Amino acid sequence: MSDRIRILIVDDIPETREHLAKLLGFESDMEVVGAAESGPEALELAPRLTPDVVLMDINMPGMDGIATSERLASLLPSASVIMMSVQGEADYLRRSMLAGAREFLVKPFSADELTTSIRKVHEREREKQARTADHVEAGVRAPLAADRPARAGSVVTIFSPKGGVGRTTLAVNLAVAAAQLGRQVALVDGSLQFGDIAVMLNLDPRHRSLADLVPEIASGVPESLETALVRHDSGVDVLLAPPTPETAELITPAYMRGVLERLRQDHDLVVVDTPPILNDMTLTLLDVADRILAMLTLEITNIRNLRLFLDVARQLGYDDRLDLVLNRADSSLGIRVADVERSIGRKVDHSIVSDGRSVVYALNRGIPFVISSPEAQVSQDLVRLARDLSGVEPASREAQTAAHRTAQRRSLFAWR
Ligand SMILES: Nc1ncnc2c1ncn2[C@@H]1O[C@H](COP(=O)(O)OP(=O)(O)O)[C@@H](O)[C@H]1O
Ligand SMILES: [Mg+2]
């Protein structure tokens, strides 16, 4: 049997069907196995033709593309649906994804967009099946969150009630630093609408992201998680936020909880970035965490908001797993660390120095500063934090003492 991608075209307009078939005729790795002019006809043909990919028109008289996709999902789950529409409305996209469509193309699309989408969904489905086959071979059932072993790694969620304090910077560099210490690390962009991790790591969320998991949200089990992860050069497995804000809305807190629980099964450390808002989603990301890093900088608005958050955290019982991280600790303009500690009624647990040069240079190149400027103090602060959080001992007693001395010296110079 040929290993070409088998494609079924479903569209009520004959010209469109012909046009698509002609376009795909040029592709040596694809084969149009059939065409249907309505939903019912597609459902009748699909089990017989066993297409890998179904190109589905969303607007058809009678049973539309969404209803057809829903039924097809139970009839032939291995077929990946690519929805085609003339409108790019968010609501269409939303309903299509929930009906199980893997991709969404807005007409008119180029031949290139079409074939890229087909190859992408096909490859993802193949990876998914290969994984399931591995499990069957190994004599175990396909992974289900419920029957996995007890947790292996810890989840660290970074939060601040205010933007711009360095959460994403910390998340990215902490993850990479822990990977450099030999840990298996996952990094999750929980800032679903306007996530910055893709930019900071120079990765493309259109290739792989949480958006790829939307079709399975209804099932509640993050079965295809691996296919949505991107492996960064540092070894960190990254789960990017969806490329468009409207897709982010489709992701439910319950599903994200499942994602984090699942990630901690095979990672030592799961680092989660968040947006500066307290909503259901953020509360879930905090709830799952073994450790919460509450971040602030030496600014009065920041300190005030953090105090409010700490009150909430206390009420929610997060207190004993919360660490205070002071970023740009030496950039005080009139506020001293002691003032902060007095104002919020607790000690700062970790400090990170300010280093605009290393940080912005790294940001603009899409390379974490723990990689591009490992010798910088800011990187060493991050490595220390990564050690603390992932339970790695410093290389030697001397190194520890030296680091401690540097930290002490810094605190003497910077804050008093
Ligand atoms: N330790 C630091 N020293 C210098 N600049 C920093 C430091 N941490 C963060 N920044 C800068 O602060 C800005 C906000 O950081 P970011 O991580 O995007 O914050 P958040 O995710 O909390 O909104 C960025 O321009 C970043 O480069
Ligand atoms: Mg951010």
Side-chain angles (χ1 to χ4, degrees):
M1 243 182 72
S2 96
D3 52 4
R4 291 196 289 176
I5 308 174
R6 301 168 60 79
I7 299 163
L8 173 65
I9 300 170
V10 187
D11 201 308
D12 57 317
I13 301 174
E15 291 77 32
T16 311
R17 293 197 301 271
E18 276 161 36
H19 177 64
L20 288 172
K22 209 177 287 166
L23 273 183
L24 297 173
F26 294 114
E27 304 301 320
S28 56
D29 58 339
M30 298 179 192
E31 180 183 2
V32 175
V33 293
E37 59 174 37
S38 69
E41 191 189 358
L43 294 175
E44 191 197 309
L45 289 176
R48 197 148 39 83
L49 300 174
T50 58
D52 300 309
V53 175
V54 179
L55 294 178
M56 182 84 71
D57 181 29
I58 200 165
N59 269 319
M60 293 184 289
M63 189 187 292
D64 69 4
I66 291 174
T68 312
S69 299
E70 269 166 3
R71 295 195 199 176
L72 190 66
S74 50
L75 205 60
L76 190 68
S78 63
S80 305
V81 172
I82 296 178
M83 197 71 85
M84 304 179 293
S85 149
V86 271
Q87 295 106 318
E89 288 168 30
D91 189 48
Y92 266 36
L93 174 71
R94 179 194 181 90
R95 287 169 51 220
S96 307
M97 297 290 240
L98 291 175
R102 308 290 168 91
E103 280 278 308
F104 195 83
L105 286 172
V106 180
K107 294 178 191 171
F109 41 79
S110 68
D112 204 38
E113 281 174 288
L114 174 66
T115 52
T116 304
S117 292
I118 292 175
R119 291 194 184 99
K120 179 175 153 183
V121 298
H122 180 59
E123 188 187 333
R124 222 183 283 144
E125 179 62 29
R126 277 234 296 239
E127 275 178 37
K128 187 170 148 188
Q129 289 185 357
R131 267 199 337 278
T132 315
D134 283 352
H135 283 286
V136 171
E137 222 161 85
V140 292
R141 286 192 293 133
L144 276 175
D147 50 30
R148 281 171 166 260
R151 93 186 171 80
S154 52
V155 175
V156 173
T157 299
I158 302 171
F159 180 76
S160 151
K162 221 167 160 268
V165 300
R167 277 159 309 159
T168 309
T169 305
L170 174 63
V172 163
N173 286 280
L174 182 62
V176 172
Q180 287 175 335
L181 293 170
R183 297 311 208 179
Q184 288 291 332
V185 185
L187 172 62
V188 178
D189 199 342
S191 183
L192 297 179
Q193 284 203 311
F194 300 102
D196 286 330
I197 289 181
V199 175
M200 283 209 195
L201 289 177
N202 200 13
L203 299 169
D204 186 355
R206 286 172 308 179
H207 182 53
R208 279 159 184 250
S209 78
L210 264 161
D212 300 327
L213 301 175
V214 170
E216 65 177 35
I217 283 178
S219 79
V221 185
E223 206 188 335
S224 323
L225 185 56
E226 278 85 352
T227 62
L229 292 174
V230 194
R231 176 56 70 95
H232 181 253
D233 290 343
S234 60
V236 173
D237 287 325
V238 189
L239 187 56
L240 294 173
T244 54
E246 70 269 20
T247 313
E249 272 178 54
L250 306 176
I251 298 160
T252 62
Y255 185 78
M256 275 309 272
R257 180 185 290 271
V259 165
L260 297 184
E261 292 296 353
R262 175 74 188 65
L263 281 173
R264 70 152 43 123
Q265 309 290 350
D266 37 24
H267 293 89
D268 301 311
L269 186 67
V270 182
V271 179
V272 186
D273 191 14
T274 58
I277 8 160
L278 272 186
N279 55 15
D280 270 3
M281 181 60 84
T282 316
L283 285 172
T284 301
L285 301 176
L286 292 169
D287 222 39
V288 183
D290 299 283
R291 195 129 293 274
I292 295 169
L293 301 182
M295 265 190 112
L296 81 162
T297 54
L298 292 170
E299 282 162 59
I300 196 81
T301 44
N302 232 279
I303 297 164
R304 185 183 155 274
N305 285 325
L306 195 86
R307 207 168 51 206
L308 295 175
F309 169 63
L310 289 179
D311 286 342
V312 176
R314 210 164 293 130
Q315 285 164 30
L316 293 172
Y318 296 158
D319 229 12
D320 53 342
R321 49 194 162 107
L322 188 142
D323 279 7
L324 218 52
V325 180
L326 180 62
N327 191 19
R328 319 190 72 165
D330 51 345
S331 65
S332 152
L333 291 169
I335 302 177
R336 298 180 315 156
V337 178
D339 300 334
V340 176
E341 292 181 333
R342 200 172 321 112
S343 160
I344 54 187
R346 61 180 289 168
K347 288 265 171 216
V348 166
D349 299 285
H350 314 274
S351 299
I352 301 168
V353 294
S354 184
D355 182 353
R357 212 170 156 273
S358 304
V359 174
V360 177
Y361 177 75
L363 177 68
N364 291 342
R365 290 205 316 168
I367 302 173
F369 56 75
V370 292
I371 296 177
S372 59
S373 316
E375 72 299 332
Q377 185 59 52
V378 67
S379 300
Q380 289 174 30
D381 287 349
L382 260 295
V383 171
R384 202 180 53 236
L385 187 52
R387 280 191 207 285
D388 277 4
L389 292 171
S390 53
V392 177
E393 292 298 322
S396 69
R397 187 76 205 152
E398 292 79 60
Q400 193 175 9
T401 326
H404 184 67
R405 265 202 310 271
T406 321
Q408 259 187 339
R409 227 180 3 248
R410 242 185 317 116
S411 70
L412 285 174
F413 281 122
W415 305 335
R416 307 289 149 180

